Every structure is written in C-alpha cells, then in structure tokens.
Amino acid sequence: MKLLVVGSGGREHAIAKKLLESRDVEQVFIAPGNDGMTLDGLDLVNIGISEHSKLIEFAKENDIAWSFIGPDDALAAGIVDDFNQAGLKAFGPSRLAAELEWSKDFAKEIMVKYGVPTAAYGTFSDFEEAKAYIEKQGAPIVVKADGLALGKGVVVAETVEQAVEAAHDMLLDNKFGDSGARVVIEEFLDGEEFSLFAFVNGDKFYILPTAQDHKRAYDGDKGPNTGGMGAYAPVPHLPQSVVDQSVETIIKPVLKGMIAEGRSYLGVLYAGLILTADGPKVIEFNSRFGDPETQIILPRLTSDFAQNITDILDKKEPAITWLNEGVTLGVVVASEGYPLDYEKGLPLPEKTDGDIITYYAGAKFAENSRALLSNGGRVYMLVTTADTVSAAQEKIYDQLKKQDTTGLFYRRDIGGKAL
Ligand code: AMP
Ligand code: GLY
C-alpha cells in the first residue's frame, strides 16, 4: 500500500520513516516534507498543507490507502473533513474534534463540563476585566492566547505586572492577531511536566510511552519558549500509577465528553500534564503528535505501525507493542537565534545511521548538489536508544561533538531531570 503524510518537520519525518518500515507499505509520500527526508527513501510531494483539493487529487491519483496528518493548523483548517468528504481516509481529528487544541477556551469548557482536572481559569476579551482578574488572583499566574500561536502564546508570569503586560500585548496590541483576541488566564500549576499520548478512535484508545519535552531554548530551562529542543521516553521517574491515574481522570472522561458533544475523536490525542500535589492536571490538549516527542516515541514501537493505524481506522483491535527496556532520547539542533531571527543556508553534517537516527526538520539541498543546508529554526534532531538516560546522553553528545555545528546550537542538558 501507499501512504501520504502531511507536514514537513521532524515529526513527519519520524512518522513517515516508521510507516515505510511496515511490511505492506511500498511507498510513503510526504507533502511538502523537506529534502533531508529523501535520504530515508521517502518521496516528497510539492503541495502545501493548506492546498486540500490538490492533496485530495494527489491521493486519488496515487491510490493512497490513507493519510496521516501531522500539523495542528492543517487539522484546524478541516483537512480531515475535506478528505473524508472526498471519500478518503485520514488519521487525524475533524475540525470540530481538533478544537480541543485550536481553542483553549473550548478545551477548558470541555474539561470543566466532564470533570477533567485542570487549572482554575477565566476567559477574557476585555482588557480591563482581564486586568482586574489578574490583580484579584495574584501571581504567579499564566496568560494564554486563546488560539493557535505555535506554542509561543503562553506567558508564565511571575508578577502581576508581567501578567497584565502579557494581557495588554494580546488583547490591545494584537501581538498574536486573532489568536490573542481572547485570552485564557489560569492558575499556575506547580509540579513536573510530562506528555501523555494516545492513538484514539471514539472511545477506543491506546496509550503511548510517557515523554518529556524541553520547551525552553537554553540549558537549565532558560530563554524563550520554543517548539521543543529535545525529549526522551519513557520518563523513568514517573510511576505507572501516575499513567493509570491520568487515563482514568483525564483520557477516559475527555474522550467520553467529545463523543457526548458529537465530536468523536480520531487520531493522536496529546495531553500536556503537570503532576501536582493533587495528582496530574491538564495544561493543554493538542490534537496531534508532539514535535519532538514523536521522534523519540516512534522508534520504540516494535509492532507494524501502518497495520496498527489501519486497524484503528477500521475500528479493529490493533496489536501495538513497545520496547520495554531502556530509554530513547533526542536532541534538537537549531539555528542560532531560533525561536526569533536566524540565518538559513548553513552546511549540515552528514546524516548518521545505525543506532543514532537523524531526523530532519528544516533542511534543503544546495542548488547544484545534494549537500544539505539548514532551512528552518529547528534543523535536525539526533535520536538514540540506550539502557539509561545518561548512556543515551553520552552517545548523542559524543556524536554532536564530532559534528560541525557552526551557526547552530543545541541544549546540553536534555534528559537532565531524569538523572
Ligand atoms: P502550552 O503552550 O499551553 O503548553 O504552555 C507552554 C508552557 O507553559 C508549558 O509547557 C508549561 O511549561 C507552561 N504552562 C502552561 N500552563 C501552565 C500552568 N497553568 N501552570 C504552570 N505552567 C504552565
Ligand atoms: N513538543 C510540543 C508540541 O509539539 O507542541
């Protein structure tokens, strides 16, 4: 069978590479992808993620069995609805189900209605009301743009002044455009952060290994929030009881709630959680796989990925198995200056093979050769599996030391919280 992955980053590279390893898969296309992925035998399709009718035409002409949708903005734009209407299968939620991610206010309403533990909050479109709420609640407090903002629309304010300024930026200065026309202001949750993913179809769900991302740009969780600078799975210091509790108090009720609302969920559900003194609480839901979490979770899948997704789409019981031992860890290499301004076109080191995987996020062939150049904020990621977090770190950081990363940077403490 032939499959299509929609998206262009490291997440889509990992999804497509794993699909291509599946027994019955002869070809995996990625639209639009990036040149680095072709080194793994993946085929690029020069169609953007928002060109639904062209994607549909491509899928029909090429006999695509089903498509896997990577990015949140494609889901929010209703790509799955459009594919389904054209008679095509796609793994991802409908626009209405994806609202769990594209509106923080909607997600909060669902959580309150169906008793899912989350931070106390208020939603505001009026600045004076937002300011009054912040002053009443005090700091620390968290201010979030309601809509999609590439993970950058969240300010964890340590003082009332910072929070008021963030609300001012979003509501009066339009810093995030329409996404910030409403803000959700919520209680600061104290505790360890982790991500829990599930493959879902309706009330059936299959939990993936726990993962921990590193969202800040620099070592020691300093600097601006990014899309994610590195991750590892599973999180060795999170007991199974925490996962079980999260399933009972969070995953089950939210999926039941979505069905009750007529928005039955299909695809990957991503719960961003904080383990507080009162148990796990939700800081956000995403309607898709995480990036970079996908790159460290999927290498641990030991079953046939394409068959698993086919079964979930067909509402059959999938035989999903995971590596039980060791830990998989990955470090993102980004352009200096990311997440703000950065240069493109820097030469990249050779792709690694064997037990260190290179996933490409922003890479492009030079004009007249097949030399790879940087072409984005996050450029590539090295991923490996080892017995322990420190052994995995050693392998990755040894490899990175051998590479010429001039003009690029990476965090040197990925996995540090597990040590
Ligand atoms: P989000 O985009 O919602 O994942 O938020 C970005 C980051 O802000 C999260 O990864 C957390 O580290 C932090 N954050 C968001 N909401 C809260 C909260 N209620 N309490 C503490 N930290 C939070
Ligand atoms: N790694 C964070 C995200 O994908 O949103």
Side-chain angles (χ1 to χ4, degrees), residues 7 15 101 126 132 180 192 230 278 311 357 365 388:
I15 293 167
E101 172 163 12
D126 180 82
E192 180 141 2
D278 304 327
D311 288 342
I357 311 173
F365 288 135
T388 60

Side-chain angles (χ1 to χ4, degrees), residues 60-375:
K60 285 189 170 167
E61 276 175 5
N62 289 278
D63 237 348
I64 299 295
W66 44 260
S67 302
F68 197 116
I69 314 298
D72 49 358
D73 37 357
L75 297 162
I79 192 170
V80 173
D81 309 70
D82 290 345
F83 270 59
N84 289 167
Q85 245 161 40
L88 296 171
K89 286 188 198 173
F91 193 65
S94 65
R95 174 174 160 77
L96 285 180
E99 191 166 0
L100 266 189
E101 172 163 12
W102 59 260
S103 170
K104 292 196 190 282
D105 181 50
F106 172 78
K108 282 292 199 184
E109 274 179 24
I110 291 289
M111 286 189 262
V112 170
K113 190 164 170 186
Y114 296 97
V116 174
T118 186
Y121 79 109
T123 301
F124 304 91
S125 44
D126 180 82
F127 171 68
E128 288 305 325
E129 286 175 23
K131 183 167 175 250
Y133 182 81
I134 292 167
E135 282 166 352
K136 184 161 162 252
Q137 301 296 322
I141 192 161
V142 183
V143 182
K144 303 183 172 186
D146 176 53
L148 296 179
L150 293 171
K152 289 158 201 153
V154 174
V155 175
V156 179
E158 272 148 43
T159 64
V160 166
E161 291 70 32
Q162 275 171 9
V164 171
E165 192 187 324
H168 191 282
D169 283 349
M170 292 179 198
L171 291 172
L172 295 181
D173 297 342
N174 272 330
K175 197 165 164 193
F176 295 100
D178 284 349
S179 286
R182 280 200 300 182
V183 296
V184 168
I185 300 178
E186 68 178 28
E187 170 199 4
F188 174 81
L189 297 176
D190 198 15
E192 180 141 2
E193 202 173 329
F194 68 104
S195 308
L196 192 64
F197 295 87
F199 297 135
V200 178
N201 191 353
D203 61 348
K204 295 279 187 197
F205 64 89
Y206 309 92
I207 296 291
L208 278 54
T210 54
Q212 197 166 54
D213 188 11
H214 297 62
K215 288 193 178 164
R216 301 295 195 103
Y218 312 130
D219 289 8
D221 289 334
K222 301 276 190 314
N225 258 319
T226 69
M229 295 298 295
Y232 62 101
V235 184
H237 50 288
L238 272 183
Q240 183 61 33
S241 59
V242 171
V243 176
D244 295 342
Q245 194 182 357
S246 307
V247 165
E248 290 305 318
T249 63
I250 294 165
I251 305 293
K252 283 187 183 171
V254 75
L255 295 181
K256 245 173 112 174
M258 292 299 278
I259 293 170
E261 299 289 319
R263 300 179 189 230
S264 180
Y265 198 93
L266 170 71
V268 180
L269 180 69
Y270 167 164
L273 306 177
I274 289 189
L275 181 55
T276 70
D278 304 327
K281 292 190 181 180
V282 177
I283 47 170
E284 63 169 354
F285 282 117
N286 293 318
S287 58
R288 52 169 174 88
F289 244 139
D291 187 345
E293 292 97 323
T294 308
Q295 295 91 307
I296 47 102
I297 289 177
L298 282 186
R300 302 187 63 78
L301 185 76
T302 48
S303 51
D304 188 303
F305 188 33
Q307 187 60 52
N308 293 155
I309 299 298
T310 302
D311 288 342
I312 294 170
L313 281 164
D314 293 343
K315 289 220 155 207
K316 289 191 192 138
E317 203 54 34
I320 303 176
T321 53
W322 300 97
L323 195 63
N324 284 324
E325 286 114 44
V327 55
T328 304
L329 180 141
V331 176
V332 170
V333 181
S335 303
E336 261 171 28
Y338 172 77
L340 303 170
D341 292 335
Y342 54 83
E343 259 183 73
K344 291 181 183 176
L346 300 166
L348 300 186
E350 289 276 300
K351 175 177 177 293
T352 53
D353 268 317
D355 68 349
I356 298 182
I357 311 173
T358 304
Y359 292 114
Y360 290 100
K364 194 175 166 25
F365 288 135
E367 220 146 276
N368 301 312
S369 75
R370 283 173 61 89
L372 276 180
L373 305 178
S374 67
N375 192 40

